Structures are given as structure tokens and as C-alpha cells.
Amino acid sequence: MMNRKLMYVFILASLVMALVINYYSPVESLWMLLLIPSLAAVVLFPTWKAAITVGLSGFIIVVMTELAGQHGQLPYQNTVHLMITGTVEWLVFTIASYFRIRTARLITELRNLALTDPLTEIYNRRYLDLYMNKAISLSQKKEHAMTMMMLDIDHFKAINDTHGHNGGDMVLQKVAEVIKGIIRDSDVFVRTGGEEFIIILPDCPSDHGIKLAERIRKTIEGIEFVYKENRIWVTISIGITEYIRGQDLNEFKKRADQALYQAKKSGRNRVVVL
């Protein structure tokens, strides 16, 4: 993992070195040394905004340093050499920045693919495991309430059988989209498989979770799902439980699953807390 503090020190040291050398040296091509801190900054912040900011800052530094060294006047020959050096430096910096930014974006996309469900674009089971390892430890240390909501789309097999898998996928995507619009940014929304979802509510006791669950349930019940001009009636069952100190993830999930089972057993389209 990149040590950001060391990178900051390296950028500052290499920048100072480039400035000192070029202030006392008459050789304009030595401004190529400015590529070292510039590219290091883009490695640290791989965005075009950062690259443009670094590029403009470098241009200003070069001009001001040269004017200071030449007492406000640049000879024609020095100006030509400086322009050639600047053009070459700009090309190298732009190309290197492009590949660094492109690589960073690809890494981010791959990481997201590994941790998200491609159909609904919410987190997957792997992310849930990673998140809960930290969340449980934090909840135990700070004694903050945490609630798990496990929900299931009622009679989803019948929806698939009647409208096909494409119709079922549409329902899954729409349900996920609606719920994302209701929950908080801090809540963790996960598709654990098939028609089953989990929502982790940090800093949220179960009584607040029940209110949120009822809001989600009623919203889904009231939405008109239409596939190929056919209305699909969609409801969900929700099981809720609050984290009990000392539980591991499996025990936490088991209680939520038991609550969900009771919701489905007692008629579906309802919220049960355990």
C-alpha cells in the first residue's frame, strides 16, 4: 500500500530540488526535472482535475522562476529553448498522466465488479462479509445500535414462471432501485442471492428499523410493476433484528432469517422483528 506521507515528502523534496537547480543553472532542459514531482502528484491523485492543476502550477512555477533568475527579462534564445523543453515536458506529462488515470479507473471498476451485484448494482455477499467484520467490531467497541433487515420478494418463483427470467430481472432491478431511494447513504444494501436482500442499518435501533421497513414495504406494495404491458403484483416480506453484543455475523444473520421466516409463514407482505 502506498505510504501517502512519504509521497508528500518525496513530492516536496523533488520540487525544491528542481527549483534550486533551475534557479542557478542556465540550462533550460533541466526543467524536465519538474516531471518528477508532477508525475508523483498524479500517481497520488489519479484524476484529470489533479493533472490539469499540477500542469498549470508547473507552468506558473517555471515562468516565475525564470523571470526571477533573469531579473524580469528572458533572452530570445532562452525563451525558444524553454518553449521546446516545455512542449516535450507537457507531452510526456500528458501521456504518463493518461495511462496512470486510465489504470486507476480500471482498478476501481474491477474492484466494484468484485463487490457489487451486476444485475441490481448494489453490494454483494462478499462485500457484506468484509463490511460486517469491521462493523461488528466497531459496534462492540462504541456500543452503537445496529440493525439488520432481511427481505424477500414474495412468490418470486411464480413471477419468474409467469413472466420469464427477464420479467423477474426487471422486478429485482426495480425493487433495488426503489429501496436505494429510501434508505440512508450510510446504510449498506446487499443482494445475497436470488430474490433475497439484506440491509444493514448502522447507528439505528430496531424500533427505527421497523419504521423504515414498513415504509419500504408499503412503497413496494404501491408501485405498479409492468412488464410487456402486463401488471405484476409485487410485495415483500421483511425480518428485522438488532445486533446483540457478542454475536458473530452468522448468528446475526440467523436471527434476521428467523424473523423473515416468521413474516413469510404468517402470510407474507409484512414486517416481523425478532
Side-chain angles (χ1 to χ4, degrees), residues 230-253:
N230 294 315
R231 172 74 187 268
I232 304 176
W233 297 97
V234 179
T235 59
I236 58 174
S237 301
I238 304 176
I240 294 178
T241 188
E242 185 174 331
Y243 178 73
I244 299 174
R245 187 179 179 84
Q247 284 182 325
D248 60 22
L249 176 57
N250 288 332
E251 292 170 332
F252 194 19
K253 286 168 62 177

Side-chain angles (χ1 to χ4, degrees), residues 151-177:
L151 60 96
D152 191 282
I153 299 175
D154 297 328
H155 305 295
F156 185 73
K157 184 179 183 303
I159 293 174
N160 264 339
D161 291 343
T162 303
H163 303 280
H165 288 291
N166 289 338
D169 287 348
M170 182 276 294
V171 170
L172 288 168
Q173 289 172 325
K174 185 68 175 178
V175 167
E177 180 185 343

